[in-house]
Amino acid sequence: MQRLSALLGAALALGGASVAHAQQLPPEWTHGATCYEIMVRSFQDSDGDGIGDFKGLISRLDYVNDGNPHSTRSLGARCIWLTPFTASPSYHGYDATDYYTVAKAYGSNADFKRFVAEAHKRGIKVIFDLVLNHVSSEHPWFQSALRDTASPYRDWFIWSKTPTPVKNWQGTVWAKSPVRDEYYYGIFWSGMPDLNYRNPAVVAEAEKIGKYWLTEMGVDGFRFDAIPYLVETDGVVAHTPATHQLLHDYQAYLRTVKPDVYTVGEVTYPNDTLLTYYPEQLESYFAFEVADSLIAAVKNGKASGMLAPVLRLQADVPSNRFAPLLSNHDQPRVRTKLGGDMQKTRLATFLLMTMPGVPFIYYGDDIGMIGDKPDPRIRTPMQWTSAKGAGFTTGTPWEALAPDSATVTVAAEDRDPHSVLTMVRRMVHLRASNHALSDGELIPLTASNDAVSAFVRRDGDRAVLVIANLSTTPLRDVTLSSTTAAIAPGSWTLRDLLGASHATSLHVDASGKLSGYVPLAELAPLEGYLFELTPARPER
Ligand code: CA
């Protein structure tokens, strides 16, 4: 694939003719931004029914970002991705029965608008989780199509007399109609019939939904669910040319409604496949391969190969066009992936926050909650305090709290300098203020010990040095080297941005390479270090 950055550069050089390419860049606020994923149902209950709601979420907004860039008691996240909250028969909402109305348990559309206003007041953008692929089988559109072959919604879905075979998919995609002798298409399960995007009326409805949330409800962008499966053609269920075209066209449409819309898509495939969704479709996508490599490195204490996925993305895509993460609402929680180890969780979080891209953190992972499948157990209520309902509710939580709810809480970690929460808060704020850390090129270094990951993030003459000891033992006299120019030649003072050690110095010769450099005599077990390089002033 052609290098996208080079392509964009060429396009920009053409001036007016480049508009189509230039418009693919995400909005300016994404530079240095961290996003926070929230399930409304599990964040804060305001009325004691055990179900989180928008009034509760508003009351917790200062935790996410209190609007003060210097605050140390606020995450400082610049955007919130809300998982689906419109009417649905399920607790998770990924099967809508109404795309336009907030589910009653969470409040009203007016409550949502109040939430958006309160978020915007604090500098938080709001990202709506848009499920275009399918609806609930209880959606009135589907019920009409199912029961009446003359229904105007009949061609909004995909029907077949026989369950015809499909390619590149394990599992059943055809569900038997309960009404007549036929089948309907639903890639995930019979309760989620796929919409038929070969029908222009469905595309028009999808545009109407997008426009409604951008203009009437004031959201700033969308997270797109399950996009590889949007348009199935000739029995191929995923990544079809028609799907790529639809994404391109839908993005272009959203731009006409809101020029600075932000979009991020879910493509749960490795980079080879992910890269086929650039350059001109959605603005950005989650980098699942980066998540896997970071988790594996910390879990196994081995740095080799950890950076390969992010280097691959960096080579082809501008940094704010991909979104690294460690976990989300579909996966075991970060600490569970790491065997329950809180120190490893803290280190993995540190590494996530040193990656290029726009990092996303799943609520609860900011304090190292545990949670494993089945799904409701990775979506348990946020643990604010050690009170009976975890400070989440005065009633009975909709789903039982995680077993560590009495000890792993925001209250317990709030002022603990070594907590996951403190690490998250510091790194979010550092990314917001340090351009090398948020947008700089990642240049890998070679460490003399494979348990150490080290790299530079460089933006012109500004740079930060990242070092992580992935092992559970202290390591002495680890040396760092580079095969290519890593740092601008000159004398540098290294300032520890996390305050764990004293400043050290570094002299780089004209080659810009590092050779046998010992940044610290000892690297503590499962510890991350972040140094800012500033030019050393010659003594007079
Ligand atoms: Ca409630």
Side-chain angles (χ1 to χ4, degrees):
M1 165 171 186
Q2 195 170 359
R3 277 181 64 108
L4 182 69
S5 44
L7 198 145
L8 280 168
L12 287 167
L14 292 170
S18 70
V19 171
H21 289 299
Q23 281 186 347
Q24 283 294 331
L25 289 173
E28 198 56 33
W29 65 261
T30 56
H31 291 285
T34 300
C35 290
Y36 190 59
E37 179 192 357
I38 291 177
M39 288 195 86
V40 177
R41 190 178 197 85
S42 282
F43 206 60
Q44 183 63 51
D45 175 24
S46 71
D47 57 7
D49 68 354
I51 298 173
D53 45 56
F54 279 106
K55 285 190 178 120
L57 176 53
I58 291 168
S59 74
R60 291 295 188 184
L61 272 178
D62 282 348
Y63 172 82
V64 179
N65 191 336
D66 62 9
N68 174 6
H70 305 295
S71 169
T72 56
R73 302 280 308 285
S74 173
L75 283 182
R78 213 179 281 167
C79 86
I80 291 176
W81 154 26
L82 293 176
T83 61
F85 53 80
T86 67
S88 161
S90 69
Y91 78 92
H92 54 70
Y94 280 95
D95 46 351
T97 46
D98 180 345
Y99 281 98
Y100 299 93
T101 309
V102 171
K104 280 199 185 69
Y106 308 142
S108 63
N109 283 25
D111 290 332
F112 178 79
K113 285 172 98 160
R114 204 150 45 238
F115 156 73
V116 171
E118 289 294 327
H120 286 171
K121 214 187 279 179
R122 293 163 173 81
I124 304 170
K125 304 291 184 182
V126 177
I127 308 302
F128 182 95
D129 198 330
L130 191 43
V131 185
L132 293 179
N133 184 67
H134 52 263
V135 296
S136 165
S137 56
E138 295 175 31
H139 196 296
W141 301 337
F142 182 73
Q143 282 298 315
S144 169
L146 182 72
R147 293 177 193 292
D148 176 8
T149 54
S151 160
Y153 296 107
R154 180 70 182 175
D155 289 338
W156 285 41
F157 300 92
I158 302 155
W159 308 93
S160 177
K161 280 287 167 201
T162 55
T164 56
V166 293
K167 295 164 200 153
N168 72 350
W169 189 251
Q170 311 282 327
T172 313
V173 299
W174 294 103
K176 184 84 171 66
S177 164
V179 174
R180 60 179 58 81
D181 189 20
E182 63 178 357
Y183 294 81
Y184 63 91
Y185 184 92
I187 192 162
F188 293 110
W189 72 294
S190 59
M192 292 178 173
D194 278 39
L195 285 161
N196 175 18
Y197 281 93
R198 279 173 287 183
N199 180 349
V202 174
V203 177
E205 181 68 27
E207 291 179 348
K208 190 177 149 203
I209 294 165
K211 184 177 183 180
Y212 176 78
W213 287 96
L214 287 174
T215 58
E216 301 294 316
M217 304 300 274
V219 307
D220 304 284
F222 300 98
R223 176 264 183 189
F224 287 93
D225 185 64
I227 51 174
Y229 317 109
L230 286 175
V231 197
E232 39 293 313
T233 48
D234 303 323
V236 179
V237 306
H239 320 300
T240 61
T243 289
H244 292 302
Q245 187 64 44
L246 178 67
L247 289 168
H248 172 273
D249 294 349
Y250 196 75
Q251 171 75 49
Y253 170 76
L254 293 178
R255 292 261 184 189
T256 66
V257 177
K258 186 175 166 61
D260 62 345
V261 64
Y262 174 61
T263 58
V264 56
E266 181 202 26
V267 179
T268 50
Y269 287 83
N271 283 342
D272 278 346
T273 303
L274 182 62
L275 286 166
T276 67
Y277 285 79
Y278 295 91
E280 290 188 306
Q281 295 165 55
L282 298 183
E283 291 165 0
S284 68
Y285 305 90
F286 294 109
F288 287 101
E289 205 180 319
V290 173
D292 293 344
S293 73
L294 294 180
I295 292 286
V298 175
K299 191 174 176 183
N300 303 324
K302 295 259 185 279
S304 58
M306 183 185 93
L307 296 176
V310 74
L311 290 171
R312 174 91 193 279
L313 291 177
Q314 173 181 267
D316 277 7
V317 181
S319 70
N320 62 343
R321 294 202 60 186
F322 57 92
L325 72 164
L326 293 174
S327 199
N328 66 17
H329 65 279
D330 283 329
Q331 301 181 358
R333 285 191 171 278
V334 176
R335 191 170 138 230
T336 299
K337 291 183 184 185
L338 295 169
D341 190 310
M342 193 63 94
Q343 277 306 107
K344 287 186 178 181
T345 303
R346 180 172 170 275
L347 183 62
T349 305
F350 166 80
L351 287 169
L352 169 69
M353 298 303 289
T354 61
M355 291 292 111
V358 179
F360 275 67
I361 295 173
Y362 180 45
Y363 86 90
D365 285 346
D366 44 340
I367 55 173
M369 281 169 56
I370 54 172
D372 207 345
K373 298 262 179 175
D375 286 343
R377 301 307 298 156
I378 55 183
R379 302 163 180 177
T380 58
M382 183 68 175
Q383 294 161 193
W384 299 101
T385 70
S386 58
K388 187 165 163 281
F392 162 74
T393 184
T394 54
T396 305
W398 71 272
E399 171 73 17
L401 301 173
D404 63 353
S405 65
T407 49
V408 177
T409 63
V410 171
E413 296 191 23
D414 189 35
R415 291 173 193 278
D416 174 357
H418 303 294
S419 68
V420 174
L421 178 57
T422 298
M423 175 65 82
V424 173
R425 286 172 172 168
R426 295 173 92 167
M427 293 301 290
V428 171
H429 283 88
L430 283 168
R431 283 184 79 91
S433 59
N434 189 311
H435 200 260
L437 179 61
S438 61
D439 288 84
E441 181 188 1
L442 192 156
I443 303 163
L445 303 178
T446 307
S448 57
N449 189 313
D450 185 39
V452 174
S453 178
F455 49 92
V456 171
R457 298 287 312 283
R458 180 174 165 183
D459 177 46
D461 278 351
R462 297 159 72 186
V464 292
L465 170 64
V466 178
I467 306 166
N469 177 359
L470 308 175
S471 80
T472 54
T473 54
L475 297 175
R476 289 194 63 80
D477 300 322
V478 172
T479 64
L480 306 181
S481 306
S482 69
T483 52
T484 58
I487 296 171
S491 291
W492 300 93
T493 298
L494 275 66
R495 190 167 69 89
D496 188 342
L497 293 175
L498 295 174
S501 60
H502 296 296
T504 60
S505 63
L506 167 65
H507 184 79
V508 181
D509 69 20
S511 73
K513 294 182 187 174
L514 293 191
S515 176
Y517 172 56
V518 181
L520 290 168
E522 183 173 300
L523 302 174
L526 297 175
E527 189 60 78
Y529 301 87
L530 179 64
F531 294 101
E532 181 178 43
L533 276 64
T534 55
R537 302 251 172 255
E539 289 190 26
R540 289 172 188 273

